[in-house]
Amino acid sequence: MFISLILVFLQPCLLVYNYYYKLSNIINTMALKCGIIGLPNVGKSTLFNCLSSAKAQSANFPFCTIEPNLGVITVPDNRLNALAELINPNKIVPTTVDIVDIAGLVKGASKGEGLGNKFLGNIRECDAILHVLRCFEDENIVHVEGGINPIRDKEIIDTELQIKDLETIETRFAKTEKQAKSGGDREAKILLEVMKRYRDVLVQGKNAREVQFETKDEQKAARELFLLTTKPVLYVCNVDEKSAKEGNEHTKSVETIAKKEGAGILIVAAKIESEIAELETFEEKEMFLSELGLHESGVDRLIKEAYKLLDLKTFLTAGVQEVRAWTFHNGWKAPQCAGVIHTDFEKGFIRAEVIKYEDYIALKSEAACKEAGKMSVEGKEYVVQDGDIMHFRFNV
């Protein structure tokens, strides 16, 4: 009888446990994907090869890349190394973003030119777009449009994506309009208004991302259309070595367009990055960058910008088993972030114990942070901040 009472008392306690002992068996389920697009021969595959250990074929002719190459890249985060020095964990696990090298689009892709429709389908599966623009002169590398003009190149691809988006809307428009008028379907009415606003913008040769919706219902309907030009974009200007630091006249024209669109822009010399990728040690890479007057490789900057493009942040877990970075969307609350580790953590969320990264580094241990009152106990409404070191308690 006494033993039974003890077991009844301990059972709920046994269900509440520290996830540190479970991390080695849990996979981060948040698959985030950026697609690298551009005209043929602008440097997409070269850049992809620098970003990923997966090597894409690279050659001086269009459609060299036919199947999309997928690479998983780690997001640079020096905080992991700093924590590891204090904790000496069994392993360090950075967060990652998937990068897809999508074969070069050409004029007429929306009508099936080149390998058009297949490429457009690959873009649809991505969360964000890294649009590579050729901003370097090289008579030995063929340009499919006959000369260097990054704005023209951008507009060619924009037009193809816009045409495909219009096609998507027109395919659904008549049916949705009928449902909205005859059936009194509320969702159909919302979707119809969303499609009308998108169509008005697209027929003007603008991207659908210029349309902003205020209500959650409109935003939901907009997402379910899966339009290509709603995806956030980062323009990657591929330059020669002498333009790697300051850019050139081509990159300046892209900067003007990007500013107008509210898009990001990054200057990268893909050829240099490929040379850096071949260097074996960190010291060699640092020396190479220093000689070029650069503080950070273009690849590292690109990875960080891709992460920001998706409006992502990182929270950390720190224990003897592992020190790990986890990806979450900016603005997420504690239960949602717990769910990134495992769905059970979100379902049975009780509380989160939070230590700020700066406090952990200053005080050098979890125990010292507790003693100094630097560990806070947060509930379901806590909005997780970048760099928070989290310890979730849950019950299922």
Side-chain angles (χ1 to χ4, degrees):
M1 179 67 177
F2 179 72
I3 293 174
S4 297
L5 287 171
I6 290 176
L7 289 174
V8 169
F9 175 77
L10 287 178
Q11 189 174 10
C13 298
L14 292 171
L15 292 172
V16 180
Y17 55 89
N18 187 328
Y19 67 86
Y20 290 151
Y21 302 105
K22 299 290 182 180
L23 287 178
S24 60
N25 299 317
I26 295 170
I27 298 174
N28 188 338
T29 57
M30 200 171 188
L32 301 159
K33 190 181 291 185
C34 291
I36 301 180
I37 69 169
L39 293 178
N41 294 350
V42 297
K44 299 186 316 303
S45 296
T46 302
L47 191 60
F48 174 84
N49 289 340
C50 300
L51 286 165
S52 172
S53 58
K55 297 297 181 183
Q57 185 184 8
S58 182
N60 182 24
F61 57 90
F63 311 122
C64 174
T65 309
I66 297 174
E67 294 300 325
N69 294 282
L70 175 64
V72 180
I73 59 173
T74 59
V75 179
D77 195 334
N78 293 329
R79 295 174 298 193
L80 293 175
N81 295 326
L83 288 170
E85 287 181 10
L86 297 175
I87 298 169
N88 192 28
N90 292 336
K91 59 181 177 179
I92 302 172
V93 185
T95 191
T96 62
V97 174
D98 290 347
I99 297 289
V100 186
D101 177 28
I102 297 169
L105 287 165
V106 294
K107 193 180 293 184
S110 58
K111 302 302 179 186
E113 290 296 322
L115 298 170
N117 287 323
K118 191 172 183 180
F119 299 168
L120 295 168
N122 293 329
I123 296 170
R124 200 179 301 281
E125 296 170 2
C126 295
D127 299 295
I129 293 171
L130 307 179
H131 188 158
V132 181
L133 297 167
R134 180 171 166 178
C135 296
F136 67 91
E137 305 280 349
D138 189 335
E139 60 185 20
N140 296 316
I141 299 178
V142 177
H143 191 295
V144 291
E145 292 297 322
I148 309 305
N149 186 335
I151 303 304
R152 175 206 58 209
D153 296 352
K154 169 199 167 319
E155 289 173 349
I156 287 172
I157 288 185
D158 279 354
T159 298
E160 297 306 320
L161 301 186
Q162 290 160 11
I163 291 171
K164 202 66 183 176
D165 281 348
L166 271 171
E167 195 177 291
T168 298
I169 289 173
E170 295 300 340
T171 300
R172 298 183 60 177
F173 197 89
K175 182 180 178 181
T176 304
E177 187 175 38
K178 184 177 180 181
Q179 289 174 332
K181 288 182 177 179
S182 61
D185 187 327
R186 180 177 176 274
E187 290 186 2
K189 288 179 180 179
I190 293 170
L191 178 58
L192 184 64
E193 290 306 312
V194 166
M195 289 196 293
K196 283 179 179 178
R197 288 185 61 186
Y198 274 147
R199 186 170 65 176
D200 289 345
V201 167
L202 289 165
V203 295
Q204 296 177 50
K206 298 178 181 178
N207 292 312
R209 70 179 69 91
E210 293 191 16
V211 181
Q212 299 297 319
F213 298 101
E214 295 181 2
T215 71
K216 288 184 178 179
D217 287 339
E218 289 174 331
Q219 291 167 2
K220 180 175 180 290
R223 284 194 300 271
E224 290 174 354
L225 285 169
F226 297 104
L227 298 186
L228 302 172
T229 63
T230 58
K231 298 179 186 297
V233 63
L234 174 70
Y235 295 113
V236 182
C237 297
N238 185 15
V239 300
D240 52 23
E241 181 176 334
K242 65 182 180 182
S243 304
K245 187 176 180 181
E246 303 291 340
N248 54 36
E249 61 181 282
H250 297 305
T251 64
K252 286 181 173 57
S253 65
V254 178
E255 284 175 14
T256 301
I257 292 291
K259 187 175 181 180
K260 183 179 177 182
E261 293 182 2
I265 179 173
L266 191 68
I267 297 171
V268 172
K271 188 176 180 181
I272 291 176
E273 296 300 323
S274 64
E275 294 175 14
I276 293 173
E278 295 298 322
L279 298 175
E280 294 183 359
T281 67
F282 177 78
E283 289 73 19
E284 287 177 314
K285 293 179 181 180
E286 286 286 290
M287 188 178 299
F288 191 95
L289 288 169
S290 179
E291 289 174 359
L292 295 171
L294 301 173
H295 301 292
E296 190 176 24
S297 76
V299 164
D300 281 355
R301 287 186 289 118
L302 179 56
I303 295 169
K304 290 177 181 177
E305 286 298 322
Y307 201 64
K308 282 169 56 180
L309 184 65
L310 294 167
D311 197 21
L312 304 176
K313 301 290 183 183
T314 302
F315 72 85
L316 309 168
T317 56
V320 175
Q321 292 294 322
E322 66 182 25
V323 168
R324 184 165 186 161
W326 302 86
T327 298
F328 70 98
H329 285 283
N330 188 26
W332 274 14
K333 294 180 180 179
Q336 290 173 289
C337 289
V340 171
I341 298 175
H342 197 287
T343 53
D344 284 349
F345 283 32
E346 182 174 6
K347 290 175 184 175
F349 179 88
I350 297 174
R351 66 178 181 271
E353 295 167 358
V354 184
I355 300 173
K356 297 300 179 185
Y357 168 78
E358 294 77 11
D359 291 333
Y360 200 112
I361 295 300
L363 297 171
K364 302 190 184 308
S365 74
E366 181 178 315
C369 289
K370 284 183 181 178
E371 189 175 338
K374 295 296 184 181
M375 174 185 283
S376 63
V377 178
E378 306 291 350
K380 293 182 178 180
E381 295 304 310
Y382 176 69
V383 178
V384 178
Q385 303 298 307
D386 186 63
D388 278 354
I389 299 173
M390 308 291 291
H391 175 172
F392 296 109
R393 300 282 187 176
F394 74 104
N395 187 350
V396 291

